[in-house]
Amino acid sequence: MKILPEIEAMHEEMTKWRHTIHMHPETAFEEYKTSDFVAEKLESFGLEVHRGLAKTGVVGTLKSGTGNRAIGLRADMDALDLQELNEFEHRSRIDGKMHGCGHDGHTVMLLGAAKYLSETKNFDGTVQFIFQPAEENVAGGRVMIADGLFEKFPVDSVYGMHNMPGFEVGEFAVCKGPMMASADFFEARIIGNGGHGAFPHQTVDPIVIAAEVINGWQKIAARNVDPLKAAVVTVGEIHGGHTTNVIPEDVVMRGTTRAFEPEVQDLIEANMHRILKGICEAHGASCEFTYDRRYAPTINTSDETDEAIATMQELVGEEKVNTNVTPVMGAEDFSWMLRERPGCYVMIANGAGEGSCHIHNPNYDFNDQILPLGATYWARLTERILSAEAA
Ligand SMILES: [Zn+2]
Ligand SMILES: [Zn+2]
């Protein structure tokens, strides 16, 4: 692996930063200590620091030379509502919260790159270091865009990176086009007419209707969406009734849908609503339906993905970069930045085999071994795209 020597020399320091952040996990829009930490570091490297975008977001601006080109590099800072089961020294000190997705590592890799680039300035143009809150559940990336991220901090292209357990340290994965799905969230309420469980003919039973609605929704992916396109409709919650012999007044269902294309999102939303209304009407019930397009599909653009691939291959060699990774139905709010600017989102391996477990697992930990590789990726990507020689 071709790690920049200046960054290799920071390995111990970066590991300490990572452990500090890991011990103090903060969740959506409450990343106060984490954003203080990030802002202090960026200021100490001499960057211009802006706070308060999407409440706890931080943007650090670094300029070099006279060029007008600009890129955005983005890391997420938030933790999960998860009780950590690890017992090592740097385990979470906050009950019920944990850096179980490795955003502590993402934050530190980008800080490491900021430190290196502020010292070496071997590029021409502007780098916006974007530290965003609330990646999990509530799409802080969407809020950053709504708060004017790219109007206030203009960039030509934008880049993101996530760690992924399950493949070997020193490997990367990416693909052009859709890499992760949209994640929309819905809530449906079926309003019937409750009564005695032994006298169903005097009621409108929302539980029986809900069963039919769920079956109907499953036919959207099976019968309505083009079989060559991907779609998921998952009902993850169903609430109705409280005892054995009473038919309840209503049933509430919540869940998520996934797709790679806006047209498929449109079709899923319209058909879910139509099926719900139709079945409720058929049985004399009424309904309510809300549908929130919270995460757009993550779509990597071609030229920017080529730059990312060339950078990764320079660091670890061609055979260690999977350039055609299979897309997944998981979602990522970096997608909102990719909707506004061309760019690329890559996966950096967190390691495989014994001791490695998946993200969102209470035994997960970001692998400190990859901190210098991730920071070097950011640094070399910047030096490639904003090359001082080409200026
Ligand atoms: Zn996560
Ligand atoms: Zn994550």
Side-chain angles (χ1 to χ4, degrees):
M1 284 190 270
K2 281 193 193 150
I3 309 291
L4 288 162
E6 297 91 335
I7 288 179
E8 187 57 60
M10 290 161 47
H11 196 169
E12 208 183 301
E13 188 181 18
M14 284 196 288
T15 303
K16 277 190 196 142
W17 297 347
R18 217 276 296 173
H19 291 184
T20 300
I21 298 174
H22 191 91
M23 282 191 273
H24 304 101
E26 296 171 304
T27 46
F29 300 121
E30 292 174 358
E31 301 91 341
Y32 299 111
K33 280 189 180 149
T34 311
S35 62
D36 282 349
F37 183 91
V38 166
E40 269 166 39
K41 288 278 174 269
L42 294 175
E43 270 158 17
S44 77
F45 308 152
L47 272 69
E48 209 180 299
V49 176
H50 313 264
R51 305 194 59 178
L53 209 68
K55 200 169 174 188
T56 44
V58 183
V59 180
T61 304
L62 181 65
K63 290 186 173 144
S64 174
T66 53
N68 292 324
R69 294 171 300 166
I71 60 169
L73 309 178
R74 170 274 200 178
D76 38 17
M77 301 188 289
D78 59 316
L80 296 172
D81 288 304
L82 179 65
Q83 182 64 43
E84 178 157 15
L85 293 182
N86 293 311
E87 288 180 352
F88 43 57
E89 187 46 41
H90 65 273
R91 70 186 176 278
S92 169
R93 297 300 195 266
I94 298 171
D95 252 5
K97 294 190 193 288
M98 172 193 179
H99 268 292
C101 203
H103 300 180
D104 47 350
H106 302 168
T107 299
V108 167
M109 293 189 289
L110 192 55
L111 281 176
K115 185 175 183 195
Y116 164 86
L117 288 166
S118 69
E119 286 166 359
T120 52
K121 289 203 165 177
N122 183 26
F123 66 94
D124 184 83
T126 303
V127 188
Q128 305 289 6
F129 295 89
I130 303 162
F131 293 86
Q132 74 145 79
E135 193 284 324
E136 303 283 354
N137 302 321
V138 290
R142 180 171 65 170
V143 182
M144 283 206 114
I145 295 298
D147 278 3
L149 175 65
F150 293 137
E151 285 81 56
K152 291 174 179 139
F153 309 99
V155 298
D156 307 315
S157 55
V158 66
Y159 299 84
M161 172 161 57
H162 205 293
N163 80 95
M164 197 49 68
F167 63 130
E168 299 292 338
V169 165
E171 295 181 341
F172 285 96
V174 68
C175 68
K176 289 189 180 180
M179 182 151 146
M180 297 183 84
S182 59
D184 298 339
F185 293 83
F186 63 83
E187 179 176 308
R189 182 163 171 244
I190 298 169
I191 305 145
N193 186 14
H196 198 299
F199 303 86
H201 57 291
Q202 294 169 356
T203 73
V204 176
D205 185 348
I207 288 189
V208 173
I209 297 168
E212 219 170 300
V213 169
I214 293 169
N215 274 321
W217 283 347
Q218 292 314 307
K219 288 166 194 149
I220 296 170
R223 297 290 109 181
N224 302 152
V225 174
D226 182 336
L228 294 177
K229 294 180 178 176
V232 174
V233 177
T234 293
V235 177
E237 285 181 56
I238 170 161
H239 304 276
H242 58 278
T243 188
T244 50
N245 61 354
V246 174
I247 291 166
E249 285 293 317
D250 66 351
V251 167
V252 173
M253 297 185 284
R254 299 187 189 93
T256 183
T257 73
R258 308 294 165 113
F260 287 121
E261 295 167 40
E263 302 76 50
V264 178
Q265 283 176 283
D266 292 344
L267 183 149
I268 292 172
E269 180 180 356
N271 287 17
M272 282 186 81
H273 200 186
R274 197 190 62 232
I275 289 166
L276 172 69
K277 271 202 322 209
I279 291 173
C280 284
E281 205 178 299
H283 295 294
S286 57
C287 62
E288 292 163 1
F289 186 63
T290 56
Y291 189 94
D292 176 23
R293 297 194 178 203
R294 205 174 297 166
Y295 292 73
T298 301
I299 301 172
N300 287 333
T301 52
S302 182
D303 290 353
E304 289 68 26
T305 305
D306 283 337
E307 298 282 8
I309 289 172
T311 307
M312 295 183 286
Q313 288 180 339
E314 172 199 303
L315 302 188
V316 296
E318 253 177 60
E319 66 286 356
K320 301 279 190 191
V321 183
N322 180 353
T323 57
N324 195 21
V325 71
T326 307
V328 294
M329 302 310 282
E332 161 60 60
D333 72 356
F334 180 64
S335 58
W336 292 103
M337 299 186 193
L338 286 176
R339 265 167 56 115
E340 301 295 317
R341 292 292 182 277
C344 179
Y345 179 79
V346 304
M347 298 284 183
I348 181 169
N350 198 52
E354 209 181 324
S356 89
C357 70
H358 212 57
I359 48 176
H360 293 217
N361 180 303
N363 290 111
Y364 165 86
D365 193 31
F366 184 88
N367 188 345
D368 291 315
Q369 248 190 294
I370 67 172
L371 289 170
L373 179 62
T376 299
Y377 167 75
W378 286 133
R380 290 295 301 138
L381 182 73
T382 302
E383 291 173 345
R384 170 182 293 275
I385 297 172
L386 302 180
S387 162
E389 286 91 73

